[in-house]
Every structure is written in C-alpha cells, then in structure tokens.
Amino acid sequence: MADAFTLAFDAPLGGLNTLRIGATASCLATIADPDALPAILGHDQLHELPVLVLGEGSNVLFATDFHGLVLRPAWRSVRISDDDGRTAIVQAAAGYGWDALVDWTLAQGLPGLENLALIPGLVGAAPIQNIGAYGVEASEFITAVDAWDRGRGGFVRLDAVACGFGYRDSIFKREPERWIVSNVEFRFDRERRRALDYAGVREELAALGNTDPTPAQVASAVRRLRHRKLPDPGSIGNAGSFFKNPVLARERAAELQSANPSLPVYPAGDASSKLSAAWLIEACGWRGLRDGDAGISAQHALVLVNHGRATGAELLTLARRVAAFVAERFGVRLEPEPRI
Ligand code: FAD
Ligand code: EPU
C-alpha cells in the first residue's frame, strides 16, 4: 500500500503558491489519507510546530519563510451519497480540484456550481472563505463540513450554520489554526434556476448564442469572462482579488457614491452596502503600477501581481501602500482577502 503521507524538510514553496513567492517551510507533509493526521500532528519532530494547511496556494501570501509544518491534503474522491431524483447529496474530498468538481457535478446533471467555474484551488479551501463569483457563493450548496479540530484533537462534522458563512468569511477563516477540512458535503437541486443577473453574464451568453443556456453553457460563459477579466496565474503570479470589497453602513456608502457617482455600490443585507475595491484603487491611480517586481495588475486593479522575483515582504509593502492611499482619499479601510 502507498504511504499515507510523506515528509520533506526545508521544503521550497515557490511552486506551491500562485503568487510564486520563493518561501520555504520547515516541513511539508503531503497526505494521501486524512486518517494519517493524528500520526503527523503527534510526530516527535513536528508536534510543537505551527501548522498551515496548503491547498493550491491560490489565496496565500508568504510574507516570510514558514517556520512550521505545512499540510497538503492529497486525498481525492467524489461521490453521490444520496439521491431522491430531485436533490442529490455529494461528498467531495478536500484534495479534489474545485474546477474538477464543477465539471463533475455538471456531468452528473447537478446544476449550481456553474457560476463558480475556474476558481483556482481545492475543494477543502472552498468553505474557508466561502468562495464566490458571478452572484453565487459556495455556501448556497454546502450542507456540512468534516474537519479535524485541533482544539479537541478529533474529527467533527459542522453543519452549515456552525460554519458561520459570510461574504469571504467563515468560522474556518476566523480560526485558521484550528481546523483541517477533510471533506465537504454539498446539496444540489436539479430544478435550480440559473443565476444570470451578475453584470456581463447574459451578454456573454448572448454573444455565444445561448438565450436559454444549460448550466454547462453558463460555465463556459463564466470561464470566458474570467479569462478576459483576470490575469492568469499560469502567466503572471497572483492570488486573485487581493482585498475584499469593503462593506459599509448603507448611509455611508450612499454618501461616497453621491460624491463619486461612478463608484459601483451593491446591496449587502438590510443595513449595509458593498463597494467596489477595484474602483477605489483605480481611482487612486494604482492600476498597472509597479515597484520592482511587485505590482498592481494592468488588467484588474484589485489583483496584486508578481512580475518575477518579488518577495512576499515586497508584495505586502505594496499592498499596505495601496490600502493607505485608499484610506487617505476615501476614508475606507481595505482588508486583505488572502491568508498572510
Ligand atoms: P490555499 O490558497 O492553499 O489556502 C487558502 C486558505 O485556506 C489558507 O488559509 C489555508 O490554510 C486554508 N485552507 C486550504 N485548504 C484547507 C483545508 N483543507 N483545511 C483548512 N484550511 C485550509 N476566490 C473566490 O472566492 N472567488 C473568485 O472568483 C476567485 N478568483 C480567483 C482567481 C485567481 C486568478 C486566483 C489566483 C484566486 C482566486 N480566488 C477566488 C481565490 C482562491 O482561488 C480561493 O480562495 C480558493 O478557494 C483557494 O484554494 P486553495 O486550494 O488554493 O487554497
Ligand atoms: N473595476 C474597476 N477597475 C478594475 C476592475 C473593476 O473599476 O480594474 C470595477 C468595475 O466597475 C466593475 C467592478 O469593479 O464593474 C466589479 O468588477 P468585477 O466584476 O471584476 O468584480 P470584483 O468586485 O472586482 C469580485 C470578487 C472576485 C469575483 C468577481 C466576480 C471580491 C473581493 N472579488 O471581484 O473574486 O471573481 O467579483 O464575481 O469579492 C477573488 O475573490 O479572488 C475573486 C477574483
């Protein structure tokens, strides 16, 4: 039988994060079976180290080397555990690719994840920040998350309420040292209506000649939109949006919009509004600027890019300068989205 895990000491992480930061980890454990977690966490040489779970590294910034234990979930499986003809329950392992899950569910005739096509990363990371795009969030489908609880030293199952999902938020994001997600359970409704209202989706579908699109056609349209709008981490290091879109009291957002009429403002619950962080950064003149190899994408003002050999510290310095500019000009605080 293959080893349940392998360990590498002083391991380079440059190929394991999409910002392509050349950091190292004291130890990198690649894990083929979640049942190996107690042995790894209790290992003589490892049990006192800080722990970081790393999926595809598409939402992390290594500001320094990581003096600790990096855990890479490499267990991959997906199956339908229950199906009554209208709704189906799917169990997906943490190490399964997110975009592969989108394709797999669509091939099973299960709609819902099409708007979340092409988001980089693994299934186990999806609940961490409750990934979202094109008007849909993963939490609309997640019914439970199985995780190792480092606080209690055992596996637990959290239902969706216990996960505390919000915009780019969850209990897992708020307590990053505590949880190692092993499996995510989803529920899909075969009669779910398509979500086509996000700006650009209908236009892209119309350009493809799809007026009554199948979920797979929506996924294709979303993939085309994303290719056009966002820099490809295969060509230039980046972690997608570097800041969250700020959420403000509705009155404060309305004031800002009346002073800046082209600022996009979206409803966010009863008393709050969400602003476009990209617009705020672009208005400060930062789009496309660079300082050495650390830069702001010319394609999208919310994306921090590594033009080659930028260090994590250089990228972080640039991000802080951008945030300070936006705070100075608009009085709005930008909060980073990736784990730093
Ligand atoms: P990593 O980057 O490896 O980890 C991210 C965080 O999750 C870390 O804190 C890590 O410790 C934790 N984590 C990962 N796996 C586990 C686990 N099994 N258990 C516990 N903690 C874990 N995000 C969106 O929401 N919407 C988008 O549209 C979007 N577009 C993107 C576009 C690009 C080009 C890029 C580069 C990123 C984009 N992202 C987007 C961000 C990113 O893809 C998501 O956050 C994704 O879920 C990260 O997956 P990962 O496997 O790479 O996680
Ligand atoms: N805009 C600018 N300048 C730019 C880019 C955008 O002013 O350079 C303005 C435009 O007015 C545009 C608006 O910002 O209409 C919104 O842009 P976009 O549709 O690209 O969305 P976003 O708010 O910048 C969010 C998510 C993305 C997600 C898209 C699509 C956050 C932090 N980001 O970006 O998620 O893919 O919507 O739903 O919520 C990620 O989290 O990494 C990510 C890429």
Side-chain angles (χ1 to χ4, degrees):
M1 200 178 90
D3 286 344
F5 65 93
T6 57
L7 299 180
F9 291 88
D10 293 322
L13 300 174
L16 302 181
N17 70 93
T18 61
L19 270 168
R20 300 190 202 166
I21 295 167
T24 59
S26 311
C27 182
L28 174 69
T30 305
I31 310 162
D33 183 340
D35 289 337
L37 282 170
I40 299 168
L41 295 167
H43 192 284
D44 281 352
Q45 285 171 276
L46 308 175
H47 71 277
E48 287 183 343
L49 295 178
V51 169
L52 172 75
V53 189
L54 190 63
E56 284 183 353
S58 63
N59 215 25
V60 290
L61 185 159
F62 289 100
T64 61
D65 288 333
F66 185 67
H67 302 291
L69 170 64
V70 169
L71 303 176
R72 295 200 81 208
W75 56 91
R76 303 179 184 98
S77 62
V78 61
R79 67 188 171 92
I80 293 177
S81 60
D82 206 356
D83 191 346
D84 67 8
R86 168 146 186 190
T87 61
I89 305 295
V90 168
Q91 311 292 334
Y96 202 78
W98 176 262
D99 196 44
L101 178 69
V102 174
D103 281 340
W104 185 88
T105 53
L106 296 181
Q108 306 299 312
L110 304 175
L113 300 186
E114 55 273 14
N115 295 49
L116 303 177
L118 211 65
I119 297 180
L122 301 182
V123 166
I128 309 304
Q129 70 160 7
N130 178 23
I131 55 171
Y134 294 93
V136 170
E137 288 183 335
S139 58
E140 292 169 46
F141 309 95
I142 295 175
T143 43
V145 171
D146 297 309
W148 177 269
D149 178 353
R150 293 185 64 220
R152 292 183 11 197
F155 282 105
V156 292
R157 168 160 275 219
L158 290 94
D159 65 18
V161 173
C163 293
F165 291 122
Y167 163 63
R168 296 295 189 271
D169 198 25
S170 72
I171 186 177
F172 312 108
K173 191 157 181 175
R174 294 191 291 274
E175 300 178 331
E177 315 291 329
R178 181 167 173 189
W179 305 102
I180 303 166
V181 171
S182 59
N183 179 77
V184 183
E185 180 184 271
F186 300 86
R187 178 179 184 275
F188 298 104
D189 179 348
R190 289 194 166 80
E191 284 161 41
R192 180 185 157 89
R193 290 188 48 203
R194 317 273 171 272
L196 306 177
D197 291 338
Y198 193 92
V201 175
R202 280 184 212 280
E203 292 77 355
E204 195 66 32
L205 284 160
L208 292 168
N210 304 142
T211 45
D212 183 18
T214 64
Q217 288 169 334
V218 175
S220 301
V222 165
R223 289 192 170 106
R224 283 167 59 109
L225 272 167
R226 295 182 65 97
H227 274 305
R228 230 180 16 250
K229 283 195 181 183
L230 289 168
D232 172 7
S235 310
I236 185 162
N238 76 85
S241 301
F242 195 81
F243 298 102
K244 295 189 200 181
N245 284 325
V247 177
L248 269 58
R250 206 161 52 188
E251 299 71 33
R252 174 79 187 112
E255 276 167 31
L256 276 165
Q257 198 179 33
S258 71
N260 304 279
S262 60
L263 167 64
V265 174
Y266 316 97
D270 289 345
S272 308
S273 300
K274 202 191 278 177
L275 310 182
S276 161
W279 188 97
L280 297 172
I281 294 168
E282 183 162 348
C284 291
W286 280 93
R287 179 167 165 161
L289 289 192
R290 64 189 275 186
D291 182 3
D293 275 349
I296 302 296
S297 169
Q299 213 175 330
H300 199 298
L302 198 46
V303 181
L304 204 68
V305 288
N306 181 354
H307 287 281
R309 302 172 73 94
T311 63
E314 287 164 350
L315 287 159
L316 194 54
T317 300
L318 179 66
R320 287 185 175 142
R321 284 174 60 201
V322 170
F325 239 85
V326 168
E328 170 81 22
R329 166 132 182 229
F330 295 106
V332 174
R333 202 175 75 83
L334 292 182
E335 189 187 329
E337 178 187 290
R339 169 96 177 267
I340 294 168

